[in-house]
Amino acid sequence: MNQQPAAESGAKPAYKRILLKLSGEALMGDLGFGISPDVMGFLAKELKGIVDMGVQVALVVGGGNIFRGEGLARAGMDRVTGDQMGMLATVINALAIQDAIERVGLEARVQSAIRINEVCEDFIRRKAIRHLEKGRVLVFAAGTGNPFFTTDSAAALRAIEISADLMLKATKVDGIYTADPKKDPNATRYDELTYDEALDRRLGVMDQTALVLCRDHKIRLRVYDMDRPNALHRIVSGDSSLGTLVRV
Ligand code: GTP
């Protein structure tokens, strides 16, 4: 698919199918650990807003709010074990999101990249697409199912596999900046950026694997501030003033 938006404004969605990447940290809100009910409620409402417009929505969620392998890896833990623990953390988050989405009256399905059938479905691409076509919000869990790959890479991979028109990366800042805006008062936000620029400048938007995957498969990516009410609705309506667009 990967086509240009069909419309730039109005209530009609500009994108038919999107993939939203949420970090695990995004789910913990002010709690410092775990899952914030307030964040889940807010997210579910925002998602309902766009599903009701007819947009097909898939999510990829991280697990850093529950488990971060890096610290333990530095302390000597086997990296593969750490990454597997991280994948399980994403499954916990995916189930919480499924629950929150169902509570606002939408249908949701979780598909995991590692087999854990008692709690959710396996990732099967063709079934994933059928769920989306039926208007179900699809939550992809367990990253790519492999160690050494980030959930950003999983998001890029799934966006390609489901032929998403747009990938969104929800962050705590409203786009990509020339430098960390929390540390550098002179940092300015990019409205638009190519993947090659993001790669060359090492802006830390996503890891290089994810950026290269998106670039090579012409996925359009918008990085935006997830705390901003109505942001998702505005973006899928074609509002290009929010966040930063990364393109080929
Ligand atoms: P359709 O085929 O479009 O009807 O999709 P469906 O998801 O409603 O039907 P299906 O019979 O596949 O699934 C019914 C319910 O069982 C849904 O809530 C699925 O998420 C769930 N389900 C399906 N496969 C699995 C699985 O392997 N493990 C778990 N735990 N649940 C599953």
Side-chain angles (χ1 to χ4, degrees):
M1 221 165 277
N2 305 338
Q3 66 229 15
Q4 296 286 323
E8 285 301 323
S9 62
K12 207 170 155 302
Y15 301 96
K16 185 168 172 238
R17 183 177 293 164
I18 63 157
L19 184 133
L20 171 60
K21 161 72 204 311
L22 288 167
S23 68
E25 286 86 351
L27 304 184
M28 67 190 180
D30 300 327
L31 298 181
F33 177 82
I35 298 167
S36 155
D38 290 346
V39 172
M40 300 308 280
F42 175 79
L43 174 68
K45 249 177 63 193
E46 293 285 300
L47 290 172
K48 184 163 168 52
I50 61 170
V51 173
D52 286 348
M53 288 170 81
V55 179
Q56 298 176 13
V57 181
L59 306 176
V60 167
V61 63
N65 55 323
I66 296 170
F67 181 78
R68 291 208 71 83
E70 285 159 29
L72 283 173
R74 272 200 301 276
M77 176 184 258
D78 174 61
R79 168 71 193 267
V80 174
T81 303
D83 282 354
Q84 288 170 335
M85 292 168 73
M87 287 180 223
L88 294 173
T90 71
V91 177
I92 294 173
N93 285 335
L95 294 175
I97 293 172
Q98 175 178 242
D99 176 81
I101 290 169
E102 287 176 342
R103 277 191 282 125
V104 294
L106 298 175
E107 279 196 78
R109 297 287 186 269
V110 175
Q111 289 197 343
S112 167
I114 53 174
R115 239 171 287 148
I116 179 166
N117 287 124
E118 281 73 12
V119 293
C120 63
E121 300 177 27
D122 298 337
F123 170 64
I124 298 171
R125 178 177 163 269
R126 293 172 72 105
K127 202 161 160 60
I129 288 170
R130 287 297 289 144
H131 286 321
L132 292 169
E133 287 170 348
K134 288 182 178 179
R136 296 165 183 154
V137 177
L138 190 54
V139 190
F140 291 123
T144 68
N146 299 291
F148 305 108
F149 288 90
T150 63
T151 43
D152 280 345
S153 292
L157 176 66
R158 296 291 183 245
I160 296 161
E161 287 180 291
I162 64 167
S163 303
D165 301 318
L166 179 71
M167 177 169 157
L168 288 169
K169 183 170 156 112
T171 61
K172 293 270 164 207
V173 282
D174 61 339
I176 304 169
Y177 280 72
T178 48
D180 184 345
K182 286 186 183 127
K183 292 180 190 151
D184 183 349
N186 297 320
T188 53
R189 180 169 64 86
Y190 293 103
D191 288 332
E192 220 174 287
L193 201 63
T194 66
Y195 283 108
D196 283 333
E197 285 166 343
L199 285 159
D200 289 347
R201 295 176 199 171
R202 297 190 172 268
L203 292 170
V205 194
M206 299 199 295
D207 62 277
Q208 308 268 308
T209 309
L211 288 170
V212 168
L213 268 174
C214 285
R215 181 194 66 188
D216 291 355
H217 295 272
K218 301 184 173 55
I219 293 287
R220 291 162 73 88
L221 167 72
R222 187 167 288 280
V223 179
Y224 80 106
D225 176 4
M226 72 168 284
D227 294 331
R228 192 169 177 147
N230 223 25
L232 276 180
H233 192 281
R234 285 175 58 187
I235 291 169
V236 302
S237 298
D239 183 342
S240 55
S241 67
L242 295 183
T244 301
L245 177 72
V246 192
R247 55 176 177 76
V248 176

